[in-house]
Amino acid sequence: MSISDFFKKNVSLHCYKENKFDIIIKQIKTTNYNELKGRNRCKGSKHGKSNTYEEKQMRIAIVDDNEEDRKYLTKEITEIFSEKTKENPQITQLSSGEEFVKVLSVSEPGEFFDIVFLDIYMKELTGIDTAKKLRQIDKVAKIIFITTSNEFASESYEVQAHDYLIKPFNKARMLKTMERIFEDEKNNKKILDLPDGQIIPIDSLLYTTFSGHYVTIYLIDGNKIQLRCTQKNFEACIQEHKELVQCFKGIVVNITKVDGLEEDRFKLINKEYVPISRRKYAEVKKSYTDYLIERLRQGEDI
């Protein structure tokens, strides 16, 4: 059952129609649906028996007008991946900010880069300017600036740079930078064990509905998984994941995928709406507020 069908069946027409209630909590400036679509893929079948999680090969761009530096970074990054993850990243070398922006402009959301190494001092389009153009369409990619000094620290903060490397490169410093990224990736891949034995990344889940002895899990890439189980059993398997909150009878929402809280519903990052019951409103609002506070503590903008 789609969220729209669920609304029509369970919520009054007044609640279902789009309204103009004042936003109670300032909307989170999260990544939009298209930016996230395709970064992690989870394929679903109707009854969930053949669902498998596909790990996407990490895409890395090295944007530097110095060919030797590009080659050195490519070599070191490849070695670090091989040693730490046993994976083989897809690395693209680009000689200018203009070339990078051109590649980005013709890329589909699922083809965006996961990590972008950006030289700050380039002839025409600087690394800072290139990063600003990147952030206009992709707020997820981790930006690592390459520079000869740290004088651009304030500008790097504006574009939410993940880190920076000082030339000449220090291998130990580069390893530390990559280990931070690996740790972030690990944290972003928390797994949900479903009652039928399937596993899916929490980060791929938008919301779930329950109807007719089936739980339907709606994923961020547009796919869905349907499994036969009781709502009670499903709630038992998600209880340790505080980001999964029951906001309405038969509906569980991933609050990390919420774009705003309104008087009686959540707006999700894919522009759908999830209802909040009056009985659960205070509890749900607290869960959402706690999530926002935690983001602030981690230094994120909301």
Side-chain angles (χ1 to χ4, degrees), residues 4 6-22 248 262-265 273 275-276 278:
S4 297
F6 193 96
F7 260 118
K8 292 173 182 176
K9 182 177 179 181
N10 297 282
V11 187
S12 69
L13 182 62
H14 171 71
C15 293
Y16 175 68
K17 289 182 177 179
E18 290 198 13
N19 51 55
K20 298 181 179 180
F21 291 119
D22 293 333
F248 198 89
E262 301 184 6
E263 187 168 324
D264 58 0
R265 62 185 185 172
Y273 291 90
I276 303 173
R278 291 183 180 180

mmCIF file of all heavy atoms in Angstrom, residues 4 6-22 248 262-265 273 275-276 278:
data_model
loop_
_atom_site.group_PDB
_atom_site.id
_atom_site.type_symbol
_atom_site.label_atom_id
_atom_site.label_comp_id
_atom_site.label_asym_id
_atom_site.label_seq_id
_atom_site.Cartn_x
_atom_site.Cartn_y
_atom_site.Cartn_z
ATOM 1 N N SER A 4 0.134 7.268 -0.165
ATOM 2 C CA SER A 4 -1.074 7.996 -0.554
ATOM 3 C C SER A 4 -2.320 7.164 -0.285
ATOM 4 O O SER A 4 -3.319 7.657 0.240
ATOM 5 C CB SER A 4 -1.003 8.366 -2.041
ATOM 6 O OG SER A 4 0.069 9.237 -2.294
ATOM 7 N N PHE A 6 -2.541 4.789 1.871
ATOM 8 C CA PHE A 6 -2.672 4.656 3.318
ATOM 9 C C PHE A 6 -3.374 5.882 3.896
ATOM 10 O O PHE A 6 -4.223 5.776 4.761
ATOM 11 C CB PHE A 6 -1.285 4.481 3.946
ATOM 12 C CG PHE A 6 -1.348 4.022 5.370
ATOM 13 C CD1 PHE A 6 -1.227 2.672 5.679
ATOM 14 C CD2 PHE A 6 -1.532 4.930 6.410
ATOM 15 C CE1 PHE A 6 -1.292 2.245 6.994
ATOM 16 C CE2 PHE A 6 -1.589 4.508 7.722
ATOM 17 C CZ PHE A 6 -1.465 3.156 8.016
ATOM 18 N N PHE A 7 -2.996 7.069 3.392
ATOM 19 C CA PHE A 7 -3.654 8.303 3.818
ATOM 20 C C PHE A 7 -5.162 8.216 3.561
ATOM 21 O O PHE A 7 -5.980 8.511 4.417
ATOM 22 C CB PHE A 7 -3.096 9.484 3.034
ATOM 23 C CG PHE A 7 -2.070 10.265 3.793
ATOM 24 C CD1 PHE A 7 -0.777 10.360 3.317
ATOM 25 C CD2 PHE A 7 -2.388 10.924 4.971
ATOM 26 C CE1 PHE A 7 0.177 11.092 3.998
ATOM 27 C CE2 PHE A 7 -1.445 11.663 5.659
ATOM 28 C CZ PHE A 7 -0.156 11.746 5.173
ATOM 29 N N LYS A 8 -5.520 7.839 2.340
ATOM 30 C CA LYS A 8 -6.927 7.823 1.949
ATOM 31 C C LYS A 8 -7.737 6.847 2.804
ATOM 32 O O LYS A 8 -8.907 7.081 3.104
ATOM 33 C CB LYS A 8 -7.044 7.440 0.468
ATOM 34 C CG LYS A 8 -6.489 8.514 -0.468
ATOM 35 C CD LYS A 8 -6.464 8.026 -1.917
ATOM 36 C CE LYS A 8 -5.877 9.068 -2.847
ATOM 37 N NZ LYS A 8 -5.765 8.598 -4.222
ATOM 38 N N LYS A 9 -7.076 5.750 3.204
ATOM 39 C CA LYS A 9 -7.778 4.724 3.962
ATOM 40 C C LYS A 9 -7.861 5.064 5.448
ATOM 41 O O LYS A 9 -8.842 4.757 6.110
ATOM 42 C CB LYS A 9 -7.054 3.381 3.787
ATOM 43 C CG LYS A 9 -7.742 2.219 4.517
ATOM 44 C CD LYS A 9 -7.009 0.917 4.249
ATOM 45 C CE LYS A 9 -7.668 -0.237 4.972
ATOM 46 N NZ LYS A 9 -6.966 -1.513 4.743
ATOM 47 N N ASN A 10 -6.831 5.724 5.984
ATOM 48 C CA ASN A 10 -6.727 5.880 7.429
ATOM 49 C C ASN A 10 -6.815 7.306 7.951
ATOM 50 O O ASN A 10 -6.989 7.506 9.144
ATOM 51 C CB ASN A 10 -5.397 5.285 7.914
ATOM 52 C CG ASN A 10 -5.316 3.799 7.659
ATOM 53 O OD1 ASN A 10 -5.898 3.006 8.373
ATOM 54 N ND2 ASN A 10 -4.588 3.419 6.608
ATOM 55 N N VAL A 11 -6.667 8.307 7.092
ATOM 56 C CA VAL A 11 -6.615 9.689 7.553
ATOM 57 C C VAL A 11 -7.723 10.485 6.895
ATOM 58 O O VAL A 11 -8.105 10.240 5.755
ATOM 59 C CB VAL A 11 -5.238 10.318 7.212
ATOM 60 C CG1 VAL A 11 -5.121 11.695 7.843
ATOM 61 C CG2 VAL A 11 -4.124 9.417 7.712
ATOM 62 N N SER A 12 -8.251 11.446 7.628
ATOM 63 C CA SER A 12 -9.338 12.255 7.093
ATOM 64 C C SER A 12 -8.895 13.040 5.878
ATOM 65 O O SER A 12 -7.715 13.306 5.690
ATOM 66 C CB SER A 12 -9.817 13.233 8.175
ATOM 67 O OG SER A 12 -8.833 14.208 8.441
ATOM 68 N N LEU A 13 -9.853 13.411 5.035
ATOM 69 C CA LEU A 13 -9.551 14.176 3.831
ATOM 70 C C LEU A 13 -8.845 15.474 4.175
ATOM 71 O O LEU A 13 -7.942 15.910 3.469
ATOM 72 C CB LEU A 13 -10.850 14.478 3.058
ATOM 73 C CG LEU A 13 -10.701 15.232 1.729
ATOM 74 C CD1 LEU A 13 -9.869 14.401 0.766
ATOM 75 C CD2 LEU A 13 -12.071 15.530 1.132
ATOM 76 N N HIS A 14 -9.231 16.084 5.288
ATOM 77 C CA HIS A 14 -8.594 17.338 5.708
ATOM 78 C C HIS A 14 -7.089 17.144 5.911
ATOM 79 O O HIS A 14 -6.288 17.991 5.549
ATOM 80 C CB HIS A 14 -9.220 17.831 7.010
ATOM 81 C CG HIS A 14 -8.489 18.978 7.630
ATOM 82 N ND1 HIS A 14 -8.508 20.237 7.077
ATOM 83 C CD2 HIS A 14 -7.694 19.042 8.733
ATOM 84 C CE1 HIS A 14 -7.768 21.043 7.833
ATOM 85 N NE2 HIS A 14 -7.263 20.337 8.830
ATOM 86 N N CYS A 15 -6.722 15.989 6.514
ATOM 87 C CA CYS A 15 -5.299 15.743 6.756
ATOM 88 C C CYS A 15 -4.580 15.340 5.480
ATOM 89 O O CYS A 15 -3.398 15.603 5.317
ATOM 90 C CB CYS A 15 -5.125 14.622 7.791
ATOM 91 S SG CYS A 15 -5.695 15.079 9.437
ATOM 92 N N TYR A 16 -5.285 14.671 4.588
ATOM 93 C CA TYR A 16 -4.633 14.169 3.381
ATOM 94 C C TYR A 16 -4.273 15.278 2.409
ATOM 95 O O TYR A 16 -3.233 15.276 1.786
ATOM 96 C CB TYR A 16 -5.541 13.147 2.690
ATOM 97 C CG TYR A 16 -4.972 12.666 1.369
ATOM 98 C CD1 TYR A 16 -3.824 11.875 1.356
ATOM 99 C CD2 TYR A 16 -5.567 13.024 0.170
ATOM 100 C CE1 TYR A 16 -3.286 11.435 0.158
ATOM 101 C CE2 TYR A 16 -5.028 12.600 -1.026
ATOM 102 C CZ TYR A 16 -3.899 11.800 -1.034
ATOM 103 O OH TYR A 16 -3.370 11.384 -2.207
ATOM 104 N N LYS A 17 -5.165 16.245 2.274
ATOM 105 C CA LYS A 17 -4.881 17.337 1.344
ATOM 106 C C LYS A 17 -3.685 18.148 1.822
ATOM 107 O O LYS A 17 -3.463 18.306 3.001
ATOM 108 C CB LYS A 17 -6.105 18.255 1.212
ATOM 109 C CG LYS A 17 -7.250 17.625 0.453
ATOM 110 C CD LYS A 17 -8.401 18.620 0.322
ATOM 111 C CE LYS A 17 -9.543 18.026 -0.502
ATOM 112 N NZ LYS A 17 -10.661 18.986 -0.595
ATOM 113 N N GLU A 18 -2.899 18.677 0.894
ATOM 114 C CA GLU A 18 -1.778 19.521 1.285
ATOM 115 C C GLU A 18 -2.315 20.752 1.981
ATOM 116 O O GLU A 18 -3.278 21.371 1.545
ATOM 117 C CB GLU A 18 -0.944 19.918 0.063
ATOM 118 C CG GLU A 18 -0.171 18.762 -0.523
ATOM 119 C CD GLU A 18 0.940 19.262 -1.418
ATOM 120 O OE1 GLU A 18 1.248 20.464 -1.381
ATOM 121 O OE2 GLU A 18 1.484 18.444 -2.153
ATOM 122 N N ASN A 19 -1.678 21.087 3.097
ATOM 123 C CA ASN A 19 -2.125 22.243 3.841
ATOM 124 C C ASN A 19 -0.982 23.223 4.009
ATOM 125 O O ASN A 19 0.113 22.991 3.544
ATOM 126 C CB ASN A 19 -2.684 21.822 5.199
ATOM 127 C CG ASN A 19 -1.715 20.926 5.946
ATOM 128 O OD1 ASN A 19 -0.572 21.304 6.142
ATOM 129 N ND2 ASN A 19 -2.162 19.739 6.333
ATOM 130 N N LYS A 20 -1.278 24.335 4.714
ATOM 131 C CA LYS A 20 -0.282 25.387 4.887
ATOM 132 C C LYS A 20 0.013 25.643 6.366
ATOM 133 O O LYS A 20 0.187 26.773 6.800
ATOM 134 C CB LYS A 20 -0.754 26.673 4.205
ATOM 135 C CG LYS A 20 -0.927 26.521 2.697
ATOM 136 C CD LYS A 20 -1.363 27.825 2.050
ATOM 137 C CE LYS A 20 -1.510 27.670 0.546
ATOM 138 N NZ LYS A 20 -1.940 28.916 -0.103
ATOM 139 N N PHE A 21 0.075 24.545 7.143
ATOM 140 C CA PHE A 21 0.392 24.705 8.557
ATOM 141 C C PHE A 21 1.795 25.284 8.699
ATOM 142 O O PHE A 21 2.682 25.016 7.902
ATOM 143 C CB PHE A 21 0.345 23.355 9.281
ATOM 144 C CG PHE A 21 -1.023 22.782 9.411
ATOM 145 C CD1 PHE A 21 -1.333 21.565 8.835
ATOM 146 C CD2 PHE A 21 -2.013 23.443 10.123
ATOM 147 C CE1 PHE A 21 -2.594 21.025 8.962
ATOM 148 C CE2 PHE A 21 -3.269 22.907 10.253
ATOM 149 C CZ PHE A 21 -3.569 21.687 9.667
ATOM 150 N N ASP A 22 1.993 26.088 9.728
ATOM 151 C CA ASP A 22 3.328 26.626 9.994
ATOM 152 C C ASP A 22 4.268 25.490 10.357
ATOM 153 O O ASP A 22 3.887 24.535 11.031
ATOM 154 C CB ASP A 22 3.299 27.624 11.150
ATOM 155 C CG ASP A 22 2.532 28.880 10.784
ATOM 156 O OD1 ASP A 22 2.482 29.187 9.577
ATOM 157 O OD2 ASP A 22 1.982 29.532 11.697
ATOM 158 N N PHE A 248 2.498 6.549 13.340
ATOM 159 C CA PHE A 248 1.074 6.360 13.092
ATOM 160 C C PHE A 248 0.819 4.856 13.116
ATOM 161 O O PHE A 248 1.744 4.072 12.874
ATOM 162 C CB PHE A 248 0.687 6.949 11.728
ATOM 163 C CG PHE A 248 -0.782 7.199 11.539
ATOM 164 C CD1 PHE A 248 -1.355 8.410 11.907
ATOM 165 C CD2 PHE A 248 -1.600 6.221 10.984
ATOM 166 C CE1 PHE A 248 -2.707 8.654 11.722
ATOM 167 C CE2 PHE A 248 -2.950 6.443 10.798
ATOM 168 C CZ PHE A 248 -3.507 7.674 11.174
ATOM 169 N N GLU A 262 5.433 19.062 10.295
ATOM 170 C CA GLU A 262 4.277 19.940 10.242
ATOM 171 C C GLU A 262 3.308 19.526 11.344
ATOM 172 O O GLU A 262 3.604 18.635 12.136
ATOM 173 C CB GLU A 262 3.655 19.902 8.847
ATOM 174 C CG GLU A 262 4.650 20.340 7.770
ATOM 175 C CD GLU A 262 4.041 20.419 6.383
ATOM 176 O OE1 GLU A 262 2.810 20.244 6.262
ATOM 177 O OE2 GLU A 262 4.793 20.654 5.428
ATOM 178 N N GLU A 263 2.149 20.134 11.398
ATOM 179 C CA GLU A 263 1.254 19.958 12.547
ATOM 180 C C GLU A 263 0.812 18.521 12.751
ATOM 181 O O GLU A 263 0.671 18.066 13.880
ATOM 182 C CB GLU A 263 0.026 20.864 12.394
ATOM 183 C CG GLU A 263 -0.858 20.849 13.625
ATOM 184 C CD GLU A 263 -1.888 21.960 13.584
ATOM 185 O OE1 GLU A 263 -1.579 23.057 13.091
ATOM 186 O OE2 GLU A 263 -3.003 21.717 14.048
ATOM 187 N N ASP A 264 0.598 17.800 11.660
ATOM 188 C CA ASP A 264 0.125 16.432 11.825
ATOM 189 C C ASP A 264 0.814 15.451 10.883
ATOM 190 O O ASP A 264 0.304 14.371 10.618
ATOM 191 C CB ASP A 264 -1.394 16.363 11.599
ATOM 192 C CG ASP A 264 -1.784 16.872 10.213
ATOM 193 O OD1 ASP A 264 -0.871 17.271 9.447
ATOM 194 O OD2 ASP A 264 -2.988 16.881 9.899
ATOM 195 N N ARG A 265 1.995 15.808 10.402
ATOM 196 C CA ARG A 265 2.664 14.925 9.450
ATOM 197 C C ARG A 265 4.134 15.303 9.299
ATOM 198 O O ARG A 265 4.560 16.406 9.615
ATOM 199 C CB ARG A 265 1.968 15.000 8.094
ATOM 200 C CG ARG A 265 2.003 16.387 7.463
ATOM 201 C CD ARG A 265 1.202 16.423 6.181
ATOM 202 N NE ARG A 265 1.327 17.733 5.519
ATOM 203 C CZ ARG A 265 0.877 18.005 4.324
ATOM 204 N NH1 ARG A 265 0.257 17.054 3.630
ATOM 205 N NH2 ARG A 265 1.022 19.199 3.780
ATOM 206 N N TYR A 273 4.484 12.561 2.167
ATOM 207 C CA TYR A 273 4.092 12.933 3.518
ATOM 208 C C TYR A 273 3.710 11.696 4.313
ATOM 209 O O TYR A 273 3.051 10.785 3.793
ATOM 210 C CB TYR A 273 2.918 13.911 3.497
ATOM 211 C CG TYR A 273 3.284 15.271 2.964
ATOM 212 C CD1 TYR A 273 3.182 15.549 1.602
ATOM 213 C CD2 TYR A 273 3.742 16.276 3.815
ATOM 214 C CE1 TYR A 273 3.522 16.800 1.103
ATOM 215 C CE2 TYR A 273 4.077 17.531 3.326
ATOM 216 C CZ TYR A 273 3.975 17.792 1.974
ATOM 217 O OH TYR A 273 4.323 19.023 1.488
ATOM 218 N N PRO A 275 1.831 10.579 7.966
ATOM 219 C CA PRO A 275 0.985 11.136 9.041
ATOM 220 C C PRO A 275 1.550 10.852 10.428
ATOM 221 O O PRO A 275 2.263 9.875 10.640
ATOM 222 C CB PRO A 275 -0.346 10.408 8.837
ATOM 223 C CG PRO A 275 0.043 9.092 8.255
ATOM 224 C CD PRO A 275 1.213 9.373 7.352
ATOM 225 N N ILE A 276 1.217 11.722 11.366
ATOM 226 C CA ILE A 276 1.561 11.532 12.778
ATOM 227 C C ILE A 276 0.250 11.509 13.562
ATOM 228 O O ILE A 276 -0.558 12.434 13.456
ATOM 229 C CB ILE A 276 2.453 12.669 13.303
ATOM 230 C CG1 ILE A 276 3.723 12.794 12.453
ATOM 231 C CG2 ILE A 276 2.811 12.438 14.766
ATOM 232 C CD1 ILE A 276 4.565 14.002 12.799
ATOM 233 N N ARG A 278 -2.359 11.802 16.694
ATOM 234 C CA ARG A 278 -2.441 12.714 17.838
ATOM 235 C C ARG A 278 -1.907 12.051 19.103
ATOM 236 O O ARG A 278 -1.242 12.679 19.931
ATOM 237 C CB ARG A 278 -3.897 13.149 18.052
ATOM 238 C CG ARG A 278 -4.424 14.062 16.955
ATOM 239 C CD ARG A 278 -5.848 14.496 17.276
ATOM 240 N NE ARG A 278 -6.383 15.378 16.242
ATOM 241 C CZ ARG A 278 -7.600 15.901 16.278
ATOM 242 N NH1 ARG A 278 -8.406 15.613 17.294
ATOM 243 N NH2 ARG A 278 -8.010 16.695 15.303
#
